Amino acid sequence: MRIAIYPGTFDPVTNGHLDILHRAATLFDQVIVGVAVETNKKTLFSLEERKHFLESSIKEPNVKVEIFPGLLMHFALSKGACAIIRGLRAVSDFEYEFQLSMMNKQLNEKVETIFLMTASEYSFISSTMIKEISSLGGSIAGLVPPMVEEALKRKFRS
Ligand code: COA
């Protein structure tokens, strides 16, 4: 059983994340989406909301979602994972992702980081931009699941 972890903050999940996830699900027996408690980002949505958006948007039967506290590598080991999945959108992502993967390698050299290229139609998306556009009344249709679009509208209307 080859298990991979797809970690992130997912505040909120975008169609770009779902595209990576879809492709990862064809490569591994099981993919666990890990919603990190320890992230240096100030989030708009709660952990439970982010988990719920992911669970409601995922169609692949071999994917599940879990919230994890502490270190990503400890979580990966506790799940018996052999790989960490990360999406790369552009060259600008590389430096941060390189550092993250090297640090994780330092913590456990047996778990590989696998990079998947984000599909070109999603390569410009980021959760931060999605939130900014929505907060200013712009349309984010087609960039996030409909449930996320509605949740963002509600958040910024209230
Ligand atoms: N399509 C669209 N957007 C994408 C994308 C894709 N395929 N892949 C990434 N992004 C965007 C996200 O929207 C997000 O945008 P934002 O910065 O505006 O929010 C950004 O790229 C990356 O976010 P995300 O994919 O959610 O991951 P992250 O970088 O926030 O995740 C963790 C970081 C959770 C992996 C890291 O903090 C972690 O491992 N934490 C646990 C504690 C730990 O182990 N620390 C030591 C690490 S060495």
Side-chain angles (χ1 to χ4, degrees):
M1 179 93 162
R2 300 189 75 76
I3 301 170
I5 309 283
Y6 181 34
T9 309
F10 303 109
D11 184 47
V13 60
T14 68
N15 287 347
H17 290 129
L18 294 175
D19 166 61
I20 296 285
L21 196 51
H22 173 69
R23 284 183 288 129
T26 64
L27 299 173
F28 291 89
D29 298 313
Q30 187 178 53
V31 179
I32 303 171
V33 182
V35 184
V37 174
E38 306 303 334
T39 163
N40 49 17
K41 293 176 179 168
K42 191 180 174 309
T43 60
L44 178 67
F45 293 105
S46 70
L47 278 165
E48 287 302 333
E49 283 175 309
R50 285 178 273 148
K51 180 173 184 256
H52 175 64
F53 296 150
L54 278 157
E55 280 174 338
S56 306
S57 313
I58 290 166
K59 296 183 183 73
E60 295 75 14
N62 60 336
V63 176
K64 63 178 180 173
V65 186
E66 290 187 27
I67 290 169
F68 74 96
L71 279 177
L72 169 61
M73 265 306 150
H74 290 168
F75 179 60
L77 286 176
S78 74
K79 296 291 163 190
C82 61
I84 303 292
I85 303 289
R86 294 290 289 169
L88 280 182
R89 291 165 298 173
V91 178
S92 51
D93 280 342
F94 181 77
E95 210 168 321
Y96 170 65
E97 293 298 338
F98 178 76
Q99 199 180 5
L100 201 67
S101 70
M102 285 299 153
M103 200 53 98
N104 282 326
K105 195 90 185 157
Q106 179 72 28
L107 293 168
N108 188 330
E109 60 178 11
K110 292 202 178 93
V111 179
E112 291 292 343
T113 301
I114 311 276
F115 295 104
L116 295 178
M117 296 303 294
T118 302
S120 56
E121 63 262 44
Y122 303 126
S123 61
F124 59 93
I125 307 179
S126 82
S127 298
T128 303
M129 270 192 193
I130 292 289
K131 286 179 277 192
E132 185 175 330
I133 292 167
S134 184
S135 74
L136 298 172
S139 171
I140 48 167
L143 303 180
V144 293
M147 171 188 265
V148 171
E149 195 184 343
E150 285 310 310
L152 280 165
K153 275 188 199 155
R154 278 198 304 278
K155 199 67 126 182
F156 293 121
R157 227 185 283 133
S158 59

